[in-house]
Amino acid sequence: MSEVSVVEGGAEDGAPVPDSDENRRQVLYWRLLARLFDPEEQASLESASVAVVEDIGLPVALLDPATSVDSVVQRHPELAGEFDGLMTPEPDADGGRDRAAEVRRAALASKVLLNVFSTGSGTVTAEQLARWQSDAGWLERALGCRPGELRGGRAGAGGGVGPTGTGVGTPAPDLSRLIPEIGPELGSIEAGLVRRMHLREVLADPALASRLTPSMSLIEQLLRDKNNLSGVALANAKALIRRYVDEVTEVLRTQVEKATVGELDRSVPPKRVFRNLDLDRTIWKNLTNWDPEEERLYVDRLYYRHTSRKTTPQRLIVVVDQSGSMVDSMVNCTILASIFAGLPKVDVHLIAYDTQALDLTPWAHDPFETLLRTQLGGGTDGTVAMTLAQPKIAEPRNTVVVWISDFYEWRTDELFESMAAIHRSGAKFIPVGSVTSSGRGSVNPWFREKFKDLGTPVISGHIKKLVHELKTFLT
């Protein structure tokens, strides 16, 4: 408490004395740091924080780690809007600082950060996991994202993220610059909570299973354990996988449909329906029929926009590493392949591999069935997948091969030469490090340099970049 006591008690002669709001903010952040690194309460910090929160008119429940953010908002609905963008503040127009507002933000930010990053130890129940997922959603909202958006990435390893900007004279935390790192970190924490659950027992109880919210970490565990499940537990596992697949499919389909495929085919007459009516052109072409006396425009002819597009049959071959480190990519790519399989004149083939390869093309249209046929884990040997992929390249100029892996292979030279041969044949070869919502992934530096020299650099793992590349090829 010595640091806090100095701040509250004043300063040495000649030193500036921090104002009361600055002191309050510091008390809240010192308490947050203490609780993150030591579960034992510091009585003086707790009592000082209670006094601060009461003084600024916020509920004391903000300081209770056992109370979820949902519970606080349910009792005090006026606080809900304050969490949105809480940690990505807009600068004041006059360049000044509203210190009283910073104290309020510090109290709210401390609540979210402590609930998310202090997860305790021991067995986790379905209810505890659901509560953590909800609190993580509030943190994502505070960072200006949609709930679940940051956790879409592959679970990363190790480390914790604490608050920033806790020094005297600095503003409340703006964590927006850390968003690329926070997403994988949240996934890592969630994966740890899932591992601490007695998941099979939870799945066997419909009431407990109904409390689970599907997420990448949970789906990974379900896919790994699906062969050990049966009866009610297996049915509940499949229902959770189906829910997650449907939710992600909706998001990815929106991304794919944002861009159009193919050039306009003006040889095909436009459909004469209202949604295709070109109002501006219709008015322009009929201006000669304007009657100034009646102030009316008489329309002799309606003009419609062309919407039919020229498309060329394309073959899309997606090869996915299904080893243990690539589960996020496996889920996203099976869903993405199914979406492209639904586009006209796009012939999609899907291959998954570890030390063996599996042709999943017959189920490419249904990501749920595809995922149930995968077997996550094991080593990596891309040459077995290449054996299946090469015969599918019938017309190289109309073929794109997307290869998703971290490229940590043991037959590196042989595999790379096969990939270079595909590129030289005229087919488009797209190496992708991983396909996650966060964009975080590791790639074998040897392959990265080889692909760069070949003129086909590895796409960083963000799924939006892969969607853009595929749309460009199909356009």
Side-chain angles (χ1 to χ4, degrees):
M1 268 300 287
S2 59
E3 295 88 345
V4 177
S5 298
V6 170
V7 172
E8 292 183 305
E12 297 180 1
D13 292 342
V17 179
D19 62 30
S20 59
D21 286 328
E22 187 68 29
N23 288 341
R24 291 169 175 168
R25 193 176 63 84
Q26 293 301 314
V27 166
L28 293 171
Y29 283 138
W30 278 114
R31 172 191 176 269
L32 172 61
L33 288 170
R35 293 299 295 261
L36 282 173
F37 294 105
D38 186 355
E40 294 294 328
E41 287 188 6
Q42 301 294 323
S44 54
L45 282 174
E46 293 296 325
S47 59
S49 298
V50 169
V52 169
V53 168
E54 289 181 333
D55 191 45
I56 61 177
L58 287 174
V60 178
L62 285 173
L63 301 175
D64 182 4
T67 302
S68 68
V69 179
D70 267 345
S71 296
V72 173
V73 170
Q74 286 172 4
R75 298 172 196 168
H76 306 275
E78 70 279 2
L79 296 179
E82 293 192 50
F83 284 101
D84 291 325
L86 175 70
M87 298 180 188
T88 56
E90 293 290 336
D92 292 338
D94 58 3
R97 290 170 56 192
D98 186 340
R99 296 180 182 274
E102 287 180 3
V103 177
R104 190 175 182 89
R105 286 180 54 222
L108 297 172
S110 295
K111 175 60 178 174
V112 179
L113 291 170
L114 185 60
N115 277 29
V116 171
F117 290 104
S118 180
T119 58
S121 59
T123 303
V124 174
T125 66
E127 185 176 354
Q128 288 173 325
L129 177 63
R131 180 195 133 172
W132 183 91
Q133 290 173 327
S134 174
D135 286 336
W138 283 105
L139 175 59
E140 288 164 318
R141 288 178 60 170
L143 290 166
C145 302
R146 296 184 302 274
E149 184 175 356
L150 296 181
R151 283 169 285 152
R154 185 178 66 196
V161 176
T164 61
T166 58
V168 174
T170 58
D174 177 0
L175 300 183
S176 57
R177 66 187 184 279
L178 296 178
I179 285 179
E181 296 300 323
I182 290 177
E185 192 64 34
L186 291 179
S188 178
I189 295 173
E190 185 173 30
L193 293 172
V194 171
R195 286 193 295 269
R196 286 160 53 189
M197 290 180 65
H198 293 160
L199 188 55
R200 295 180 191 178
E201 296 177 13
V202 172
L203 292 172
D205 186 332
L208 293 177
S210 66
R211 299 179 184 177
L212 294 175
T213 300
S215 65
M216 181 58 71
S217 299
L218 183 59
I219 297 309
E220 175 180 357
Q221 195 65 29
L222 293 175
L223 291 174
R224 291 183 186 280
D225 205 33
K226 65 181 185 296
N227 293 333
N228 299 316
L229 302 175
S230 61
V232 174
L234 181 59
N236 285 330
K238 288 183 176 181
L240 285 165
I241 296 172
R242 172 70 78 178
R243 276 179 58 194
Y244 186 78
V245 165
D246 290 346
E247 290 170 5
V248 176
T249 299
E250 190 61 33
V251 173
L252 294 183
R253 182 177 288 113
T254 299
Q255 293 180 7
V256 171
E257 292 176 350
K258 279 182 179 178
T260 56
V261 177
E263 298 178 354
L264 288 174
D265 188 351
R266 299 190 180 278
S267 66
V268 178
K271 290 185 179 180
R272 301 172 68 84
V273 293
F274 179 75
R275 68 174 178 271
N276 291 341
L277 179 63
D278 190 337
L279 190 58
D280 290 340
R281 190 177 177 214
T282 297
I283 293 174
W284 177 257
K285 290 289 188 179
N286 288 279
L287 280 179
T288 55
N289 298 327
W290 170 255
D291 188 328
E293 294 182 359
E294 296 186 14
E295 294 187 347
R296 286 188 178 184
L297 178 66
Y298 291 91
V299 177
D300 292 334
R301 180 181 174 186
L302 297 174
Y303 292 84
Y304 296 86
R305 298 184 184 90
H306 287 78
T307 56
S308 179
R309 298 185 175 274
K310 297 179 181 179
T311 57
T312 303
Q314 310 281 11
R315 175 161 290 188
L316 172 61
I317 303 172
V318 181
V319 183
V320 190
D321 177 353
Q322 67 170 357
S323 61
S325 61
M326 300 296 293
V327 59
D328 194 349
S329 296
M330 188 71 227
V331 172
N332 278 289
C333 282
T334 55
I335 295 172
L336 195 60
S338 72
I339 294 171
F340 278 99
L343 296 179
K345 299 184 179 180
V346 179
D347 181 22
V348 175
H349 295 255
L350 179 61
I351 298 169
Y353 75 97
D354 41 40
T355 55
Q356 295 181 322
L358 181 63
D359 190 344
L360 297 170
T361 302
W363 303 279
H365 65 285
D366 189 338
F368 174 72
E369 290 296 331
T370 299
L371 288 172
L372 292 183
R373 285 168 169 78
T374 59
Q375 186 62 52
L376 300 176
T380 307
D381 184 2
T383 60
V384 297
M386 185 61 74
T387 301
L388 290 181
Q390 283 178 324
K392 295 177 179 289
I393 306 174
E395 298 180 25
R397 295 292 176 185
N398 290 330
T399 302
V400 58
V401 178
V402 179
W403 197 291
I404 301 101
S405 175
D406 53 15
F407 298 100
Y408 283 95
E409 300 277 345
W410 63 283
R411 288 198 272 189
T412 55
D413 291 304
E414 181 181 347
L415 179 59
F416 178 76
E417 284 305 315
S418 300
M419 294 172 170
I422 291 176
H423 174 69
R424 289 192 296 267
S425 73
K428 185 172 180 62
F429 185 82
I430 305 177
V432 184
S434 62
V435 182
T436 69
S437 300
S438 68
R440 176 173 170 176
S442 174
V443 176
N444 185 334
W446 186 89
F447 268 94
R448 186 184 291 278
E449 288 302 314
K450 286 289 188 179
F451 286 133
K452 185 177 179 180
D453 293 340
L454 188 64
T456 57
V458 176
I459 294 178
S460 63
H462 205 295
I463 194 167
K464 290 182 180 179
K465 291 187 178 181
L466 177 57
V467 170
H468 175 74
E469 284 289 324
L470 293 177
K471 294 295 291 186
T472 300
F473 176 79
L474 296 172
T475 299

